[in-house]
Amino acid sequence: TPSAVEFITPLTLSSLSINTDSIVYQDSVSMYTFGIYNLVANNETKQVTFELLDIHPHHDKNTFAKRAKFQTDRYEGQLKNVSYNFLSFDSLLLGKTFMGNVVIDTFDITVYRDKTFPRKENDIKHTVQKYLELLKFDLDIDSLTLKNGEIAYQEKSEKSGLEGEINFGSVNCTLTGISNINKNDTLFLTATSSFMNSASVQVDVEFPLGKNYFVCSGTVSNLPFKNLNKITDPTAGILFNKGTIKRLAFNMRADLD
């Protein structure tokens, strides 16, 4: 009996379809459960779809922070009606290369951080380029489109112990050139949304791949100062009574080189 089988020719799949009601995964430290529901993968259409990706933390905000011991973002939310159009089912099954484009039809994400806990020593976040570089597989996504999104960031102040929030609604975002293969290309992000239930925001970001910086520009329009009180009052003790930002343009570069 041979101890190993060697395929002389590459694996070729002419027709294969995978359907599953649910795939559920719990992280190793029991902080989250991730669930994917109603997944369909089809080699003929070269598409993977699923109705729901659920990100569910196991603990409420206070318990999560105590278990984490250091300042740690707590994520909770859902991505709905996700489709991935791929180029090669063989590569997809082997988990070596992910190429194609992705569309997320609706999403709702809430991020919470308790800043009354200490930060980890040398807790410096990587750039997007570095995170792509650290992936254990090849990634070359032409485009990622996110539609109809709601994003909230909540923070417990280290000074007051009170919680503040900023939020973005009707988020529509497109990223192109997401790759850890084509180091000479640039990843582009374009997004529009509402901000604090009133203002309009438009943002463009460029991430030169193979470099360690990004450039961001955009505008904020028609923002009543009062709407900022949800974040400025609990975190800084600042209250606005009146006034409106008619238009604010910004341009910045973040560089870790």
Side-chain angles (χ1 to χ4, degrees), residues 123-141:
D123 183 21
I124 300 175
K125 304 301 182 185
H126 295 308
T127 60
V128 170
Q129 296 94 319
K130 185 63 176 179
Y131 281 117
L132 288 172
E133 182 183 320
L134 292 172
L135 292 176
K136 303 298 184 182
F137 52 86
D138 290 339
L139 183 70
D140 194 19
I141 299 296

Side-chain angles (χ1 to χ4, degrees), residues 155-172:
E155 179 179 290
K156 180 184 252 188
S157 170
E158 58 187 322
K159 295 180 179 180
S160 68
L162 301 175
E163 294 183 9
E165 177 182 302
I166 60 174
N167 59 71
F168 299 86
S170 302
V171 180
N172 290 281

Side-chain angles (χ1 to χ4, degrees), residues 7 49 53 62 64 96 98 158 209 224 234 242 244 256:
F7 290 97
T49 63
L53 167 60
N62 291 332
F64 186 97
K96 291 184 177 180
F98 293 88
E158 58 187 322
L209 302 175
K242 60 182 180 179
T244 301
L256 294 181

Side-chain angles (χ1 to χ4, degrees), residues 15-131:
S15 179
L16 179 64
S17 180
I18 299 172
N19 296 265
T20 181
D21 291 336
S22 63
I23 300 172
V24 178
Y25 167 77
Q26 181 174 299
D27 73 311
S28 59
V29 292
S30 192
M31 297 291 268
Y32 288 98
T33 293
F34 303 90
I36 296 177
Y37 299 94
N38 297 321
L39 180 146
V40 177
N42 190 287
N43 187 36
E44 292 186 353
T45 62
K46 287 185 167 48
Q47 187 176 67
V48 176
T49 63
F50 52 88
E51 291 185 5
L52 176 67
L53 167 60
D54 183 61
I55 305 168
H56 180 70
H58 291 174
H59 311 287
D60 62 30
K61 293 186 286 188
N62 291 332
T63 305
F64 186 97
K66 289 177 182 177
R67 286 178 60 90
K69 297 180 181 179
F70 296 96
Q71 288 186 32
T72 304
D73 290 333
R74 175 186 182 272
Y75 295 90
E76 184 172 11
Q78 296 182 332
L79 312 180
K80 296 181 180 179
N81 300 321
V82 178
S83 63
Y84 168 42
N85 296 293
F86 55 84
L87 299 182
S88 168
F89 207 16
D90 297 357
S91 295
L92 181 65
L93 288 177
L94 294 172
K96 291 184 177 180
T97 305
F98 293 88
M99 305 173 70
N101 60 76
V102 180
V103 176
I104 300 171
D105 192 60
T106 307
F107 65 99
D108 188 344
I109 301 292
T110 299
V111 184
Y112 175 81
R113 173 170 285 229
D114 190 334
K115 299 192 76 173
T116 63
F117 285 81
R119 294 179 67 97
K120 284 184 179 180
E121 189 175 355
N122 299 320
D123 183 21
I124 300 175
K125 304 301 182 185
H126 295 308
T127 60
V128 170
Q129 296 94 319
K130 185 63 176 179
Y131 281 117

